[in-house]
Amino acid sequence: MSRVALTVNGERHVIDVEPRCTLADALREQCAKPGTNVGCEHGVCGTCTVLLDGEPVRSCLLFAVQLEGKSIRTVEGLAPHGTLHEMQRAFMEHHALQCGYCTPGFLLLGVWCVENNPGATDEELRELVASNLCRCTGYQNIVRAIRSVLDGAK
Amino acid sequence: MTVIGKRVQRLEDGPLVTGQGRYVANLSFADQLHMRVVRAGYAHGELKAVDASIALALPGVVAVWTATDVHDVPPIEFRPTRVQGLEPYRQPILASQVVRYVGEPVAVVFAENSRLAEDAAELVTMDVSALPPRLDAEASDVEPTVLRKEYGDLDRAFKSADALVSLELSVGRHSGVPLECRGALARVNPESGILELHGATKRPHANRNLIARMLHLDPARVHLFQGHIGGGFGVRGELYPEDFLACLGAIRLGRPVKWIEDRRENLLACNQSREQRHRVTAAVDNAGHILGMQDEFFHDQGAYVRTHGARVADMTAGMLPGMYRIPAYRAIAHYRLTNKTPAATYRAPGRFEATFVMERMMDAIAKRLNMDRVEVRRLNLIAKEEMPYTRPMQVLETELILDSGDYATLLAKAQHAFGWDGVCRDVEARRAAGESVGAGLALFVEKSGLGPTDLASIELLEDGQIEVVTGAASLGQGVETVIAQICADAIGIDYKCIRVVHGRTDRIREGFGSHASRTTVMTGAAANNAALALRARILEAVQGRHDLPMEILEIRNGEVIRTDVEERVTTLADLAKTAKFEAEGEFKSTHMTYPYGAHLAVVSVDRETGGVRVLRYFVAYDIGRAINPMLVEGQIQGGVAQGIGGALYEEFLYDEIGQPLSVTLADYLIPTAKEVPPIEVLITEDAPNPSNPLGVKGAGEAGINAVGAAIASAIDDALSGDVFVTRLPVTPVQLKRELNCKIGTS
Amino acid sequence: MKAAAFEYHAPRTLAEATELLARYVSADVRVLAGGQSLLPVMAFRLAAPAHLVDINNIGELSNLSVEQGHLVVQACVRHRAFEQPQENGPLGRLLARVVREIAHYPIRTRGTMCGSLANADPSSEWCLVAATLDAEFTALSSRGRRVIQSADWFQGLMTTALQPDELLLQVRFPLLPEGTSFGFQEFSRRAGDFALAMALVTFRVESGLIVDPHVGLGGVEATPRRLAAVEEFLVGQRPTGQLYTEAAASGASALDPLTDVRYDAEYRRDLARTMIRRALHEALPVL
């Protein structure tokens, strides 16, 4: 077992994990952040996307032990408890989720886009949304939801 | 102020956007064990021995079971059916003596954590002597049953035909592949001693009863619980060996058992679907009327009969005629076993296949007779005046009576909204300029509202909110919102004040689950009845207490109003504190209801690479009545995306010794946002369900049903008839091969 | 799909890293850089190394610099770095053109160029770039450094010249002369998927004739390579559509394509021809 200190949504977590424990599993099992779902564990579906030091990563493709001192943002950290982030509200308004399993990953991609590429073109937005798989919505409403936040931010 | 028909936001979304989803992987009980299945690595073989000794020696491994440990559990049952011959081919929960597909459960490990369980599973060895696998349904000699449907005088039709059009068509093996893998959390409740299965869905009561029967338990001592579900599509929520093993583990080992499969297992062992090969011939006259049609097909069921028995093949055979008058018809369905993962229902089961066959035939007839593709369809449509239209055959063991429909109007509206004529001119011009771009269409009839009955109970809670308890299940489709909307209108309260319970066998005595697009139709009607009954009781009480005539009492926004002076008499919250108000509602239906629609598509083909891009996709759908159009559109858009997968990308392939080749999401290709264009949806309400008080029909399968057919039609058009698509998925290699052949022979 | 257990090491210097590789080489040790290819393989338990040496904490390995006419990319430079041209000439623009095709953005934030080069997947875009531009590879071990030319680097399907106790320290690309045209074309089933075929071409035109053509093909054979036959076809010729078509056809015939149940040799050759032709058109559009 190795000890590693991660900052998750601004809170410091000191956890003991096997080296083989992925960031996804560590978040879910050790940091009480089960909101990050696991879809494939081989880095294709993007369901497990979180922000690592502000950049989107697939948390199934990182071992927790690699991330000493790093800062991670998950879906639980998007808004203080009891409130909603604009992106969360936009997803609800635009019916951008059905089963909700892929939603945390898409929310974080969307938030990253608003914070880092607010002028994203439609093409760039669709490229970004194409990073992750959704089996329920056909993607259209996800694109519209993120677009509505990008447009609102202008 | 009605909320039915409004695009209101879903009640379900709050927890899902904030990372508080209660998917089964997020649930745990103290002291739980983790279950990991050891799976066969051969497609077919004699299972001589299983050695778990090394695995058992690993610290933290509590038990390893093989078939002998579960010999008292019978093979998994299928739904009651009049079809004969299926019994011997049921699946045992652990293989004994023979393994029949790669991925088949052979042993099961129970350990302290999931990593350890996986480590231990790797150490379990099995001695299998390989047998030749059966990998083609037509070539397979294992045929549990043949289904036959027939009506009319087919011989006369063939004799009097001006032309016979014959096709060989096939659909590739693919399936739902939800983003959440399967899982189950079973425990014996320490207080009540009741066996609980958490993470269940789709058919809670039926599943509960089946588990009780197979494990020799009193059904009243077994309960199923549903949290959130990451997509169903027909494949999740049927009982699998793993569900029984988890329950048994909880019972015999005295600790909760958690099983979460991984993606590789999901692609190997979750129900597959769709693989059929058809030989279809239509007899037509020179004007394009279909006089008769015969279809013989081979349904690749995989290694075992699953919980649906032969229903998928049955639906293919029965729904094939679609919207058309087909005066004489014969379908022969060979239900064959092979050494592949067992197959079952996947969204629009049997109908994605049937629509592909029927609509390819329509395009082929048009080509043969040099007729317009739309005209030949229009000519054969059943007319509105002919409704209800009985097809003299049984599907799913009930009469097939198309209850309502104005197919010609739907087609006209679809063409108009899509701009079909203009699009056709446009793609023709682009082809003349060298592009390979084309338009296609496909018409379909769906079935929904599977009965025979449904039950809901409703209660006014102390805080003035309403709780509706149903036997429905959520797959993520918005059942809580739709039921709340229906009840809100029936009672006179804001839909946000209504909580809908589903997926819980302990909260309602009877339930029929959510599948076959039945929930809005059946559960919706039952909930509506319950809500109306509750409203009546409330008003009766108010009438009695306040001595007011019933005619002037109304409930609006959770308040009881006297309409003579437009004054509030009392609130539901106040009433609730004085007495208990509850009611039940039932809804019976002996026949299904048949929504219908059209898919229109534009595709572009790269002749050099064989790549196909879907440029535009449009669905027109008559749903009878849409409770929430936003949710209906969502269902359709999601269905189309899956249909594009089945038409162009998704396939479970096997090599020559039966080894699966599509075992990662890098091989099994699910469309991304770049493969799915924005999907235009036109919802019409021209043909309400005549036997449902709300007039509703289902929406779940409309989006996927006709995609294979529509895209095939568009590809043919894009290539100016240089190919005729007969196989799905249409892969670039395949298209190239056909185009090269064409070049070779021209 | 949890990986098998391993011991984790996070050296802070190159010396420590190479010492660890030397110490554990007989026990199956792997270098962990981006992890975007390694972790899936470990999740499927197709690889179960007993030791992982994480080189992400060695500061100098994130460097990328221009030195003596070469772009020098150290081991931990992420794919994403190339989305902005990292040098002002055609090479920088070429790398920015190619990087967009690599997987998806969240993979590019972690995956490394050197990691892809060491992995040598036939459908790796960087491998094709390295082979086409005659990149130079520097391997490092406790025994010292050695420089390997790209023609010697790619030895077979997912096999490089790297020894088990070595790590790929850096790759050097010669800068492309001003006026170099380049084109890159790739065909895959879906956005971001592995390329079934991809072609990279660079050349200059002097006095209306093609000079110094480099034509590389990837995804089709076990390793990427320059197609000498196509380059010979092009050199000294006037760029025309007909030339491009014939050059591409000449390239397709002498290939040894990968084949499997899904894709046969004929299809791969067809794709190769198409990608080469289209890459030529992208480099320098002609009638």
Side-chain angles (χ1 to χ4, degrees):
Chain A
M1 294 291 247
S2 303
R3 177 153 293 183
V4 60
L6 307 168
T7 301
V8 182
N9 301 327
E11 280 172 12
R12 192 169 136 88
H13 290 259
V14 180
I15 59 177
D16 291 311
V17 286
E18 286 184 76
R20 62 171 164 169
C21 180
T22 61
L23 173 60
D25 285 347
L27 289 169
R28 294 172 52 76
E29 293 166 19
Q30 312 271 29
C31 304
K33 299 284 174 289
T36 300
N37 295 321
V38 169
C40 73
E41 292 182 294
H42 55 281
V44 178
C45 72
T47 297
C48 66
T49 301
V50 298
L51 298 181
L52 175 67
D53 288 344
E55 289 290 310
V57 294
R58 294 181 175 178
S59 59
C60 71
L61 295 185
L62 287 159
F63 295 119
V65 292
Q66 292 181 255
L67 305 172
E68 175 67 37
K70 299 281 192 195
S71 180
I72 293 131
R73 200 161 157 208
T74 72
V75 62
E76 292 100 333
L78 285 181
H81 186 68
T83 69
L84 287 176
H85 188 285
E86 193 175 17
M87 190 63 69
Q88 290 164 321
R89 255 185 277 117
F91 269 53
M92 291 170 69
E93 274 161 25
H94 289 87
H95 189 37
L97 66 148
Q98 290 181 28
C99 82
Y101 201 73
C102 72
T103 303
F106 277 111
L107 283 170
L108 288 161
L109 282 182
V111 166
W112 175 85
C113 189
V114 172
E115 294 176 357
N116 293 271
N117 189 14
T121 63
D122 283 348
E123 171 76 27
E124 286 170 337
L125 178 55
R126 198 157 269 269
E127 287 267 354
L128 184 67
V129 172
S131 303
N132 286 12
L133 297 180
C134 172
R135 214 44 180 148
C136 293
T137 67
Y139 303 106
Q140 192 159 334
N141 289 346
I142 294 172
V143 171
R144 285 175 50 233
I146 300 174
R147 171 53 64 201
S148 77
V149 179
L150 288 170
D151 287 352
K154 281 196 199 129
Chain B
M1 197 53 202
T2 181
V3 74
I4 286 183
K6 297 284 195 299
R7 308 170 68 92
V8 295
Q9 269 187 51
R10 295 198 328 169
L11 299 173
E12 288 88 340
D13 290 353
L16 299 177
V17 297
T18 52
Q20 296 172 78
R22 284 172 295 107
Y23 305 100
V24 65
N26 295 353
L27 307 177
S28 281
F29 287 118
D31 200 37
Q32 68 194 359
L33 288 170
H34 289 257
M35 187 179 106
R36 175 86 178 175
V37 175
V38 182
R39 300 181 183 278
Y42 287 87
H44 193 201
E46 260 182 71
L47 180 63
K48 301 244 178 75
V50 181
D51 185 354
S53 51
I54 304 177
L56 279 165
L58 224 51
V61 174
V62 168
V64 180
W65 293 348
T66 63
T68 37
D69 298 295
V70 298
H71 71 273
D72 55 326
V73 179
I76 302 174
E77 285 177 28
F78 43 83
R79 294 178 185 24
T81 178
R82 291 198 287 270
V83 173
Q84 302 287 305
L86 304 176
E87 299 274 315
Y89 305 100
R90 292 169 295 158
Q91 180 168 12
I93 63 172
L94 287 175
S96 83
Q97 296 173 334
V98 186
V99 297
R100 294 192 172 89
Y101 63 101
V102 174
E104 177 169 9
V106 173
V108 65
V109 172
F110 299 93
E112 295 292 344
N113 66 62
S114 58
R115 282 175 202 85
L116 185 53
E118 190 170 341
D119 292 342
E122 298 257 298
L123 297 171
V124 175
T125 58
M126 54 184 100
D127 181 11
V128 177
S129 73
L131 293 168
R134 294 171 178 82
L135 297 173
D136 180 81
E138 191 168 354
S140 169
D141 56 343
V142 184
E143 182 173 84
T145 191
V146 180
L147 305 176
R148 286 170 214 275
K149 298 188 194 298
E150 186 161 349
Y151 66 81
D153 189 342
L154 201 59
D155 286 338
R156 188 158 67 110
F158 274 59
K159 285 200 182 83
S160 60
D162 291 325
L164 296 179
V165 183
S166 293
L167 295 173
E168 183 175 315
L169 300 166
S170 54
V171 180
R173 204 173 193 77
H174 62 285
S175 194
V177 190
L179 271 188
E180 182 197 16
C181 294
R182 296 173 302 160
L185 175 60
R187 76 160 181 174
V188 176
N189 185 301
E191 283 155 13
S192 63
I194 285 179
L195 173 67
E196 299 177 350
L197 180 61
H198 296 258
T201 187
K202 195 179 183 193
R203 308 173 70 231
H205 290 78
N207 287 344
R208 183 273 306 271
N209 295 343
L210 180 54
I211 289 172
R213 261 200 314 282
M214 283 185 46
L215 302 185
H216 316 294
L217 300 168
D218 174 359
R221 307 281 299 158
V222 179
H223 279 305
L224 267 46
F225 296 81
Q226 169 168 66
H228 291 111
I229 299 288
F233 315 121
V235 301
R236 188 200 313 275
E238 294 297 320
L239 289 176
Y240 289 90
E242 294 91 340
D243 298 304
F244 297 100
L245 292 166
C247 290
L248 269 179
I251 294 169
R252 293 187 185 172
L253 301 173
R255 290 169 65 177
V257 170
K258 183 168 179 176
W259 167 66
I260 306 293
E261 75 174 348
D262 61 39
R263 182 55 66 185
R264 184 172 174 274
E265 293 182 275
N266 177 264
L267 294 171
L268 283 180
C270 187
N271 286 339
Q272 298 182 352
S273 198
R274 299 278 197 251
E275 189 171 10
Q276 293 177 350
R277 183 182 307 137
H278 290 246
R279 293 209 180 78
V280 58
T281 301
V284 297
D285 69 16
N286 277 327
H289 298 101
I290 296 179
L291 306 173
M293 196 163 73
Q294 155 151 320
D295 182 37
E296 182 168 15
F297 67 95
F298 299 88
H299 171 95
D300 190 325
Q301 176 52 31
Y304 293 104
V305 173
R306 288 277 302 133
T307 50
H308 290 92
R311 290 160 81 91
V312 176
D314 188 71
M315 282 188 280
T316 303
M319 295 295 290
L320 209 137
M323 291 183 170
Y324 307 112
R325 206 178 279 106
I326 322 281
Y329 178 70
R330 177 189 298 142
I332 304 166
H334 295 271
Y335 181 92
R336 298 261 174 102
L337 299 192
T338 59
N339 294 108
K340 300 177 192 170
T341 304
T345 54
Y346 166 35
R347 208 170 192 179
R351 281 110 60 192
F352 179 92
E353 303 89 305
T355 300
F356 178 67
V357 173
M358 186 70 241
E359 292 299 285
R360 289 281 69 204
M361 177 52 80
M362 296 314 273
D363 277 354
I365 292 169
K367 193 171 176 177
R368 169 74 80 88
L369 299 178
N370 207 19
M371 281 180 73
D372 177 74
R373 289 177 291 172
V374 179
E375 262 327 290
V376 73
R377 285 168 166 85
R378 214 195 312 270
L379 200 57
N380 284 284
L381 291 179
I382 295 164
K384 177 180 174 187
E385 298 70 45
E386 296 173 82
M387 295 293 179
Y389 185 89
T390 301
R391 282 219 198 272
M393 59 180 174
Q394 299 234 322
V395 185
L396 298 188
E397 294 160 19
T398 89
E399 274 187 307
L400 202 176
I401 303 175
L402 297 172
D403 55 345
S404 62
D406 187 349
Y407 302 145
T409 296
L410 185 284
L411 175 55
K413 285 187 177 178
Q415 286 184 277
H416 179 76
F418 181 74
W420 174 257
D421 293 341
V423 168
C424 287
R425 279 195 300 274
D426 175 59
V427 297
E428 207 179 317
R430 285 166 73 176
R431 282 198 296 271
E435 275 185 80
S436 296
V437 60
L441 83 157
L443 306 181
F444 69 98
V445 175
E446 252 302 310
K447 59 170 248 335
S448 74
L450 182 62
T453 182
D454 216 291
L455 178 71
S457 71
I458 193 166
E459 186 182 337
L460 175 62
L461 301 175
E462 260 193 65
D463 58 2
Q465 305 232 325
I466 305 277
E467 184 180 75
V468 184
V469 184
T470 71
S474 167
L475 292 319
Q477 77 276 44
V479 58
E480 289 168 31
T481 304
V482 168
I483 300 297
Q485 284 178 259
I486 290 171
C487 294
D489 260 30
I491 295 169
I493 189 173
D494 186 344
Y495 83 103
K496 296 199 215 59
C497 297
I498 303 183
R499 296 206 275 281
V500 179
V501 175
H502 50 83
R504 295 279 299 260
T505 57
D506 64 335
R507 292 295 314 271
I508 188 165
R509 69 174 183 282
E510 199 180 71
F512 298 87
S514 288
H515 51 98
S517 298
R518 71 183 302 279
T519 302
T520 305
V521 180
M522 296 298 296
T523 310
N528 188 51
N529 286 344
L532 289 172
L534 180 71
R535 178 180 186 277
R537 285 197 192 153
I538 288 170
L539 292 183
E540 267 164 35
V542 173
Q543 176 194 45
R545 286 178 209 179
H546 297 264
D547 197 24
L548 289 167
M550 191 69 102
E551 307 81 63
I552 63 161
L553 291 176
E554 241 178 58
I555 307 179
R556 278 184 232 148
N557 278 316
E559 301 182 329
V560 182
I561 308 287
R562 52 182 297 176
T563 58
D564 56 349
V565 292
E566 286 295 322
E567 250 177 39
R568 183 180 71 202
V569 178
T570 182
T571 67
L572 293 187
D574 287 341
L575 262 181
K577 293 172 177 52
T578 67
K580 196 172 172 74
F581 291 92
E582 55 188 1
E584 256 187 22
E586 227 189 323
F587 182 70
K588 290 192 194 326
S589 176
T590 46
H591 288 111
M592 284 183 274
T593 182
Y594 297 90
Y596 54 95
H599 287 206
L600 284 70
V602 178
V603 307
S604 159
V605 181
D606 182 331
R607 281 180 183 262
E608 289 184 301
T609 63
V612 177
R613 279 193 312 135
V614 183
L615 300 181
R616 198 176 160 201
Y617 208 93
F618 172 94
V619 175
Y621 184 60
D622 194 288
I623 194 177
R625 186 162 175 213
I627 304 294
N628 187 324
M630 185 173 73
L631 302 196
V632 174
E633 284 165 15
Q635 287 295 302
I636 290 175
Q637 287 163 352
V640 170
Q642 287 186 309
I644 288 175
L648 297 173
Y649 298 100
E650 298 175 37
E651 191 167 15
F652 286 114
L653 285 172
Y654 292 79
D655 73 10
E656 70 285 353
I657 58 167
Q659 288 296 314
L661 298 172
S662 312
V663 294
T664 77
L665 290 184
D667 308 305
Y668 188 88
L669 304 177
I670 291 173
T672 73
K674 290 204 85 173
E675 286 76 52
V676 182
I679 295 148
E680 304 151 52
V681 179
L682 172 67
I683 298 170
T684 66
E685 297 178 321
D686 293 330
N689 182 345
S691 52
N692 183 290
L694 300 164
V696 294
K697 299 182 179 178
E701 295 162 285
I704 198 174
N705 182 307
V707 184
I711 288 185
S713 183
I715 290 173
D716 285 358
D717 192 51
L719 295 174
S720 307
D722 286 345
V723 306
F724 185 85
V725 172
T726 58
R727 193 189 184 277
L728 297 178
V730 183
T731 63
V733 195
Q734 205 179 303
L735 259 191
K736 265 309 272 185
R737 228 175 253 148
E738 293 193 38
L739 286 170
N740 286 346
C741 275
K742 176 83 188 184
I743 294 168
T745 58
S746 62
Chain C
M1 277 164 47
K2 316 293 179 193
F6 57 86
E7 266 185 59
Y8 172 79
H9 311 273
R12 300 220 150 250
T13 68
L14 277 174
E16 277 174 50
T18 53
E19 195 276 322
L20 284 162
L21 289 174
R23 191 191 314 164
Y24 294 119
V25 65
S26 50
D28 191 0
V29 57
R30 300 266 187 134
V31 172
L32 172 62
Q36 307 298 280
S37 299
L38 180 61
L39 267 77
V41 159
M42 289 176 68
F44 282 110
R45 300 203 179 196
L46 295 171
H51 298 269
L52 282 192
V53 176
D54 180 353
I55 59 172
N56 287 284
N57 299 304
I58 303 172
E60 63 188 279
L61 294 182
S62 303
N63 289 345
L64 190 157
S65 56
V66 175
E67 289 167 26
Q68 299 164 335
H70 285 77
L71 181 66
V72 184
V73 182
Q74 306 292 339
C76 286
V77 174
R78 314 278 177 199
H79 301 312
R80 178 170 69 101
F82 299 96
E83 294 193 4
Q84 298 305 315
Q86 288 298 327
E87 66 89 31
N88 296 321
L91 177 66
R93 292 194 298 275
L94 182 158
L95 297 174
R97 164 72 184 91
V98 170
V99 75
R100 314 201 296 253
E101 309 284 344
I102 297 178
H104 298 283
Y105 186 73
I107 299 275
R108 301 199 291 265
T109 62
R110 289 300 301 179
T112 63
M113 175 185 269
C114 284
S116 291
L117 294 171
N119 192 39
D121 190 303
S123 47
S124 153
E125 286 85 354
W126 291 144
C127 290
L128 174 61
V129 173
T132 308
L133 302 185
D134 296 322
E136 226 172 57
F137 299 75
T138 303
L140 179 71
S141 71
S142 59
R143 299 173 280 113
R145 285 177 192 226
R146 61 191 186 107
V147 173
I148 302 150
Q149 302 303 318
S150 77
D152 303 316
W153 176 257
F154 299 104
Q155 297 191 343
L157 186 68
M158 308 203 53
T159 310
T160 67
L162 211 56
Q163 297 296 311
D165 68 336
E166 285 178 320
L167 65 88
L168 175 58
L169 176 65
Q170 69 185 211
V171 64
R172 290 158 52 95
F173 295 93
L175 297 184
L176 293 169
E178 272 310 321
T180 303
S181 303
F182 62 86
F184 177 77
Q185 286 286 311
E186 167 176 324
F187 180 72
S188 58
R189 295 296 303 279
R190 298 172 305 174
D193 276 354
F194 300 122
L196 292 175
M198 51 186 165
L200 174 64
V201 308
T202 68
F203 57 80
R204 296 190 310 284
V205 175
E206 286 170 10
S207 310
L209 303 176
I210 291 175
V211 166
D212 192 24
H214 291 235
V215 176
L217 182 71
V220 175
E221 299 178 311
T223 61
R225 64 185 171 99
R226 286 176 65 174
L227 299 179
V230 181
E231 294 170 354
E232 276 152 31
F233 203 101
L234 292 167
V235 77
Q237 300 297 317
R238 195 167 304 280
T240 64
Q242 174 148 359
L243 178 73
Y244 291 169
T245 302
E246 290 173 6
S250 77
S253 46
L255 297 175
D256 183 19
L258 296 165
T259 64
D260 58 42
V261 167
R262 290 181 175 91
Y263 307 107
D264 58 28
E266 188 189 341
Y267 181 68
R268 298 256 192 189
R269 283 199 195 93
D270 272 344
L271 276 186
R273 185 172 51 237
T274 302
M275 293 301 112
I276 294 166
R277 208 196 78 247
R278 291 182 181 176
L280 287 165
H281 275 284
E282 182 176 296
L284 189 63
V286 292
L287 290 163

